[in-house]
Amino acid sequence: MIAWIDTLIQGLLLGGFFALSGLGLSLSFGIMRIVNIAHGDFLVMAAYLCLVVSSLTGMNPLLAIVVVTTLMFLFGYGLQKTILNKSIDGGELSPLLITFGLSIILHNVLQEFFSADAKSLDVGAFEVASLNIGQINIGWLPITIFFVSLVVYTILHQIVESTRFGMIVRAIVDDAETTSLMGINTKKINCLGMGLSMAIVGIAGTFFGIKSPFFPLAGGLQLLFAFEAVIIGGMGSIWGTLLGGISLGIAQSIGYRIGSGWGEFAGHLVFFLFLLLKPSGLLSKETSHV
Amino acid sequence: MLLEIKDLNAGYGEIKALFDVDLTLNQGSTLALIGSNGAGKTTLLRCITGLIKPNNGYINFNGDNIEGCKPHDIATKGIAMVPEGRRLFPSLTVEENLLMGMCNNREQEWTLEKVYNLFPALKVFRKKMATVLSGGQQQMVAVGRALMANPRLLLCDELSLGLAPVVVKDIYRTLKTVTKTGLSLIIVEQDINQAIVASDTFLCICEGKVVMSGTRETADRSLIANAYFGN
Ligand SMILES: Nc1ncnc2c1ncn2[C@@H]1O[C@H](COP(=O)(O)OP(=O)(O)OP(=O)(O)O)[C@@H](O)[C@H]1O
Ligand SMILES: [Mg+2]
C-alpha cells in the first residue's frame, strides 16, 4: 500500500516536469500552428545555456533560470521573426520541415561546442535533499519542479484570460484572418508567442539539466515525452497539457515500479491507447481554449 | 473622393474572379454592391481590406494607394468590415469581441457605451460567449465590433443573410443613423430592393464585371434585375 502511494506521488511529481516541457510545445502549436520538431533540442540547448551562464557568473543554476528564461524569450522572438514567420506562409508542412532542420543544426552545434560527453548542472545538496513523511521519501527537487510548473500554468492562464495580449491570442487561435482585419499584426503576436513558448522551455530545460545528465542528442526523447503529454491532454488545450503531463508521469512511475525497463514503455503505451481510443485527448478544444 | 478603384483584376490562383472593376465612393455616402451568387462581391471587399492581393489595378483610399498593403495596415488607415458570415470570435465574450475592434488604435470616438446605446440588446449579454446569441444579435456584435474600429469606410457583406426581415430592417435603420456622422458605407446584398433603398449609389456586378451603375434616384429595378442575371 505505502509503496503504491509512493509510486503515485513520484509519478505526479515527474508529471509536473512533463507538463512544463509539454506546455512550450502546446503553446507554439496552439498559437502559431507550428509543430516544433526541435522542441526537445531547444530544451537541451537551454540546459547548456544554463551551464554557460552559471559557469561564467558562478550563479547557482536555480538562480540562473531567470537569465536563461530571458535569453530564451529573446531567442524565441528572434527565431519567429527571422525564420518561422516566413515559413508559416508556406502551409503547415513548411514550419515542420524548418524546425526539423533546426534540430539537426542544433545537434551539430552543441556537439561542436560541448563535445558528445554528458554534462550536468550542479545545485549542491538540494539535488538529493528529501522530505520524509513516514516511510515515504519525496525529493525536494521534484517537489520544486512540480510547484514551479503549477505557478507557470497559473501565470499563463492569467495572461491568456485577463490581459489584452491574451484576448488577442485567443482571437488568433479562433480566426487569424479576421484578427488581422482588426488592425492586428498577427506576425508580431506570433513573435511574442514563440518568445513565451521558449521562455517556458528555458525553465523546463534548466530543470531537465538539474535533474539528469544531458548530452547534445538528448532532445529526441524529450520531444517525444512533451509530445505525448500534449496528445494525451488534447491538442490545443493548455490545462489539458498539464493533465496529460501528469498522466504520463504516473504511467511511467507505475511502469518503473513493475520493472526498471518498463517505465518509458508504460508511458508510450498510455499515449498509444489515447491515440487509438480517444485521439482528441483528455480536454479537447470544446471544453477549453488555447 | 474617399475610395477610388481602377482596373482591378483579382482572383484565387488560376481562377479569375474580378475583371477591370472600377468604383468610386464619396465621403459620407453609401454604395450598394449587388450581384448574384458568385458574382465577385466578397472578392472585391477582400481586395479592399487587403485579404487578397489584386493581380493589377489600383485602390486609392483617402489619398493612399493601398493595393497590396497588409490587412492590419489597411484597418489602421480606417477601413473596417463586417465579414460574410459575421466571423465573431467564439472563444471571446460579446464585450471582448467588441473590444477587438479597438485594437487598431485609431483615435477613439466609439466606445463600448455608445455601442450598447446603439444596440441595447447586447448589454445584457456582454459577459456571455458571442456564439450563444441569436443570429440577429450576433450580427449586431459584428457591426458593433466594426464601429469600435472608428472606421471612415465600413464594408458590410450580406448583413441580412439568414436573418428575419424585422431584424434586418432594424440593423439598417441603425446604420442609417451612424452614416449621419460622415461614415461611408459599402453594403453588399443579393436583395436588390433592400440594397438600393439603403444607399445613395449602386454598382451591379455579374461574373466579375461591372455591368451597371447609377444612383438611387435613377435606379430602374427591371433594368437592374436584367443586369443582375447577366442579360
Ligand atoms: N477561396 C476561393 N478559392 C477559389 N475560388 C473562389 C474562392 N472564393 C470565391 N471563389 C470564386 O470566386 C468567384 C467570386 O466569388 P465571391 O465569393 O466573391 O462571390 P460573391 O459575389 O460574394 O457570392 P455570394 O453572394 O455567394 O457570397 C466565384 O466564382 C467563386 O467560385
Ligand atoms: Mg459573398
Side-chain angles (χ1 to χ4, degrees):
Chain A
M1 186 59 202
I2 293 283
W4 280 107
I5 293 174
D6 184 50
T7 303
L8 281 182
I9 292 175
Q10 308 296 349
L12 179 76
L13 298 182
L14 179 61
F17 172 73
F18 294 144
L20 190 59
S21 122
L23 184 57
L25 192 66
S26 188
L27 266 188
S28 62
F29 178 75
I31 305 177
M32 287 84 73
R33 301 277 129 184
I34 290 177
V35 178
N36 183 2
I37 298 291
H39 175 79
D41 304 299
F42 290 141
L43 194 89
V44 173
M45 181 180 96
Y48 278 106
L49 196 59
C50 189
L51 187 70
V52 172
V53 170
S54 65
S55 64
L56 282 181
T57 62
M59 252 189 253
N60 187 305
L62 287 169
L63 266 178
I65 280 189
V66 181
V67 182
V68 172
T69 304
T70 312
L71 291 175
M72 287 298 284
F73 176 88
L74 296 175
F75 171 75
Y77 190 100
L79 182 69
Q80 185 73 35
K81 194 171 169 70
T82 52
I83 298 174
L84 295 177
N85 265 343
K86 294 196 177 66
S87 78
I88 49 178
D89 292 335
E92 299 219 338
L93 194 59
S94 172
L96 195 99
L97 294 175
I98 293 273
T99 53
F100 183 62
L102 285 173
S103 157
I104 292 168
I105 293 171
L106 214 50
H107 288 166
N108 287 305
V109 169
L110 290 177
Q111 257 165 355
E112 197 58 44
F113 279 92
F114 300 100
S115 86
D117 302 336
K119 297 275 193 304
S120 60
L121 294 173
D122 186 15
V123 290
F126 179 74
E127 197 174 332
V128 289
S130 68
L131 175 71
N132 304 320
I133 306 168
Q135 289 147 288
I136 299 174
N137 297 329
I138 314 169
W140 278 112
L141 181 61
I143 293 175
T144 307
I145 297 175
F146 185 80
F147 279 99
V148 167
S149 181
L150 288 188
V151 168
V152 171
Y153 269 86
T154 311
I155 292 174
L156 192 69
H157 177 79
Q158 286 305 322
I159 292 176
V160 168
E161 293 298 326
S162 328
T163 66
R164 182 172 177 273
F165 170 74
M167 176 177 86
I168 293 173
V169 164
R170 279 179 288 142
I172 289 181
V173 172
D174 281 345
D175 185 342
E177 189 180 88
T178 304
T179 308
S180 73
L181 285 181
M182 306 288 124
I184 289 156
N185 184 350
T186 54
K187 300 226 152 154
K188 215 162 154 186
I189 303 292
N190 284 349
C191 292
L192 291 170
M194 200 50 162
L196 208 53
S197 164
M198 283 298 139
I200 294 168
V201 167
I203 301 173
T206 303
F207 280 125
F208 170 64
I210 294 172
K211 83 186 186 72
S212 50
F214 52 94
F215 52 97
L217 298 182
L221 195 59
Q222 295 309 311
L223 169 67
L224 184 58
F225 292 159
F227 192 65
E228 288 178 343
V230 173
I231 294 290
I232 293 173
M235 270 262 193
S237 156
I238 285 182
W239 290 110
T241 304
L242 177 64
L243 292 183
I246 289 174
S247 309
L248 183 65
I250 291 176
Q252 286 196 5
S253 177
I254 292 173
Y256 281 123
R257 171 134 173 75
I258 294 167
S260 62
W262 291 91
E264 282 173 21
F265 176 75
H268 298 331
L269 193 68
V270 169
F271 165 64
F272 183 70
L273 286 176
F274 262 94
L275 273 187
L276 210 61
L277 303 175
K278 198 169 186 312
S280 64
L282 288 169
L283 299 183
S284 52
K285 198 76 176 60
E286 285 76 49
T287 49
S288 132
H289 40 254
V290 182
Chain B
M1 203 168 301
L2 185 65
L3 181 72
E4 182 172 26
I5 297 178
K6 264 210 145 36
D7 299 325
L8 190 74
N9 286 266
Y12 304 85
E14 291 294 293
I15 305 164
K16 301 275 169 281
L18 293 176
F19 305 88
D20 301 325
V21 170
D22 294 343
L23 178 159
T24 55
L25 179 69
N26 286 322
Q27 167 86 40
S29 71
T30 299
L31 172 95
L33 192 60
I34 45 188
S36 57
N37 280 324
K41 307 178 297 290
T42 299
T43 307
L44 180 53
L45 297 195
R46 288 172 68 84
C47 285
I48 299 173
T49 51
L51 294 174
I52 298 178
K53 270 202 172 73
N55 298 330
N56 57 54
Y58 77 86
I59 305 175
N60 189 289
F61 175 70
N62 202 21
D64 295 334
N65 275 8
I66 56 166
E67 74 279 351
C69 284
K70 294 270 186 305
H72 61 89
D73 287 328
I74 293 175
T76 309
K77 287 180 196 295
I79 300 183
M81 175 153 80
V82 181
E84 191 172 11
R86 307 188 274 268
R87 305 275 288 264
L88 297 182
F89 301 107
S91 308
L92 270 54
T93 62
V94 167
E95 190 149 302
E96 285 176 327
N97 265 282
L98 294 174
L99 288 172
M100 282 299 294
M102 287 174 51
C103 287
N104 64 8
N105 295 325
R106 284 171 62 79
E107 85 289 348
Q108 219 40 54
E109 186 197 326
W110 281 92
T111 57
L112 280 176
E113 210 46 50
K114 280 192 178 171
V115 171
Y116 291 142
N117 285 338
L118 202 60
F119 301 113
L122 297 185
K123 191 159 188 179
V124 193
F125 298 107
R126 45 198 275 260
K127 296 288 172 212
K128 289 259 184 325
M129 287 311 191
T131 42
V132 306
L133 305 191
S134 72
Q137 290 161 342
Q138 288 191 26
Q139 194 62 276
M140 292 172 196
V141 178
V143 172
R145 180 178 69 178
L147 291 176
M148 289 288 277
N150 290 289
R152 299 194 59 185
L153 171 61
L154 177 61
L155 314 174
C156 299
D157 199 347
E158 303 208 27
L159 282 178
S160 57
L161 201 71
L163 302 182
V166 279
V167 179
V168 175
K169 227 173 166 177
D170 205 39
I171 292 181
Y172 271 107
R173 191 173 331 115
T174 309
L175 277 178
K176 196 110 212 168
T177 64
V178 172
T179 48
K180 293 217 175 77
T181 63
L183 178 70
S184 308
L185 219 56
I186 296 183
I187 52 175
V188 164
E189 283 294 345
Q190 291 195 22
D191 180 337
I192 301 172
N193 274 325
Q194 176 66 262
I196 305 253
V197 166
S199 57
D200 305 308
T201 58
F202 71 92
L203 199 70
C204 183
I205 54 178
C206 180
E207 292 173 356
K209 299 185 190 77
V210 176
V211 287
M212 199 177 181
S213 63
T215 61
R216 182 183 57 212
E217 292 80 22
T218 60
D220 178 328
R221 306 289 148 99
S222 64
L223 279 181
I224 296 171
N226 274 335
Y228 184 98
F229 293 112
N231 301 326

